[in-house]
């Protein structure tokens, strides 16, 4: 199992100027093949001690949305922050993560969400997608040198192949990080888990991609797995995307009780 690494600099750092909003022209929805959403979750020992929530036995959270903090592609169409926050809250609610209500349901988690795009030359793109050299049968034995492992490339797992292919191009990215609520605003916050969601950006816009990525990744958010999870974006699109304008059909129409905007601060 890969060693947990968390994008704490992006989550805990002092917030600087936001990413400039690019023009919303030049992107349209093509009915093409989107492939697989990659979902990678790292969990700490404290996080493994938690019982995963369910809709029948939910956990309650307060949260913060950092918006489009991971960068954007020039000319891309970016989703509205408030709209994205509502979608995130409803996807989380389907998995048993509900917004806290003071005096009724007190929070035990503090969730931080951010999104954007990452370029193919991003130093940590392989890490973001959950690549683990120990699970790659053709991983180079000596960095920068070719060895007998090149003859094993055709025997790589589908997950490893997908990660390596996606790392060669720009991807859309979402990060959801969970902290212990009581320690979240202390010098030593306790992190429970971090889920990273990626999908190639080619042939789509951020506005189109992010809701589909969230719907596809929903059941895997906060759930540790031995390797990244692949979920069909095209299957998810059948429920949320129509030609022309994007519609969130089975998410927006089901507003859960006590589910405030994850952008709300304590």
């Amino acid at each position: 199992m890969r060693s947990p690494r968390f994008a704490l600099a992006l989550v805990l750092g002092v917030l600087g100027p936001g990413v400039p909003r690019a023009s919303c022209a030049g992107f349209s929805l093509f009915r093409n093949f989107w492939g697989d959403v990659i979902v990678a979750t790292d969990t700490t020992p404290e996080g493994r001690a938690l019982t995963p929530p369910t809709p029948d036995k939910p956990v309650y959270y307060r949260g913060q949305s950092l918006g489009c903090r991971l960068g954007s592609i020039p000319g891309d169409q970016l989703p509205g922050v408030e709209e994205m926050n509502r979608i995130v809250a409803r996807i989380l609610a389907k998995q048993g993560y509900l917004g806290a209500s003071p005096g009724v349901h007190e929070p035990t988690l503090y969730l931080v969400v951010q999104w954007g795009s990452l370029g193919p030359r991003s130093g940590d793109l392989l890490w973001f997608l959950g690549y683990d050299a120990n699970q790659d049968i053709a991983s180079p034995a000596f960095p920068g040198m070719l060895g007998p492992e090149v003859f094993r490339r055709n025997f790589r797992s589908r997950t490893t192949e997908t990660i390596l292919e996606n790392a060669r191009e720009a991807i859309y990215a979402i990060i959801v990080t969970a902290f212990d609520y009581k320690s979240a605003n202390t010098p030593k916050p306790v992190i429970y888990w971090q889920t990273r969601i990626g999908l190639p950006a080619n042939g789509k816009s951020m506005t189109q991609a992010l809701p589909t990525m969230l719907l596809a990744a929903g059941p895997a958010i906060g759930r540790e797995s031995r390797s990244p999870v692949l979920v069909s974006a095209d299957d998810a699109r059948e429920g949320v995307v129509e030609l022309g304008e994007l519609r969130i059909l089975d998410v927006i129409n089901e507003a859960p009780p006590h589910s405030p905007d994850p952008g709300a601060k304590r």
Side-chain angles (χ1 to χ4, degrees):
M1 184 179 296
R2 62 187 182 278
S3 300
R5 292 174 57 200
F6 300 94
L8 293 182
L10 292 171
V11 174
L12 300 177
V14 177
L15 298 183
V19 176
R21 297 281 171 169
S23 168
C24 295
F27 281 76
S28 61
L29 176 60
F30 296 95
R31 193 58 181 168
N32 57 3
F33 178 69
W34 280 20
D36 290 314
V37 174
I38 299 177
V39 188
T41 298
D42 289 326
T43 307
T44 64
E46 293 84 357
R48 294 187 192 102
L50 300 178
T51 300
T54 66
D56 294 331
K57 295 182 178 180
V59 298
Y60 297 90
Y61 70 91
R62 296 293 299 276
Q64 181 179 12
S65 171
L66 302 183
C68 186
R69 296 290 299 178
L70 302 180
S72 61
I73 300 171
D76 204 345
Q77 180 180 345
L78 308 185
V81 174
E82 292 185 2
E83 179 186 10
M84 274 295 297
N85 290 346
R86 289 194 297 268
I87 295 171
V88 170
R90 285 160 174 78
I91 294 295
L92 289 173
K94 286 177 173 287
Q95 312 310 319
Y97 295 97
L98 301 181
S101 299
V104 180
H105 298 296
E106 297 299 329
T108 58
L109 297 180
Y110 192 75
L111 301 183
V112 179
V113 61
Q114 55 194 306
W115 58 84
S117 61
L118 298 173
R121 291 181 174 82
S122 300
D124 282 337
L125 187 52
L126 283 174
W127 159 78
F128 183 95
L129 295 173
Y131 175 77
D132 183 356
N134 293 326
Q135 296 183 4
D136 182 1
I137 193 173
S139 174
F142 301 99
M145 298 179 62
L146 295 179
E149 67 276 356
V150 298
F151 300 105
R152 297 195 291 267
R153 290 177 178 174
N154 291 335
F155 299 97
R156 279 173 165 150
S157 68
R158 178 169 168 271
T159 298
T160 297
E161 283 285 359
T162 302
I163 291 172
L164 293 174
E165 289 175 4
N166 289 2
R168 299 188 185 106
E169 55 186 304
I171 68 166
Y172 290 127
I174 303 171
I175 301 177
V176 184
T177 308
F179 298 88
D180 166 58
Y181 181 79
K182 292 181 179 180
S183 69
N185 202 31
T186 68
K188 295 183 178 180
V190 176
I191 185 171
Y192 285 143
W193 50 261
Q194 182 178 89
T195 294
R196 301 180 300 278
I197 308 166
L199 179 70
N202 185 41
K204 57 191 76 72
S205 72
M206 191 182 297
T207 295
Q208 296 161 353
L210 294 190
T212 300
M213 292 165 62
L214 283 165
L215 186 62
I221 293 177
R223 266 67 171 179
E224 185 179 37
S225 61
R226 293 186 60 86
S227 65
V229 176
L230 303 184
V231 187
S232 171
D234 298 283
D235 287 349
R237 291 172 73 197
E238 294 299 323
V240 299
V241 176
E242 292 186 353
L243 290 176
E245 183 176 354
L246 184 73
R247 296 181 59 196
I248 311 301
L249 301 179
D250 69 336
V251 177
I252 295 301
N253 293 334
E254 299 181 9
H258 310 304
S259 182
D261 191 326
K265 300 182 180 179
R266 289 183 293 171

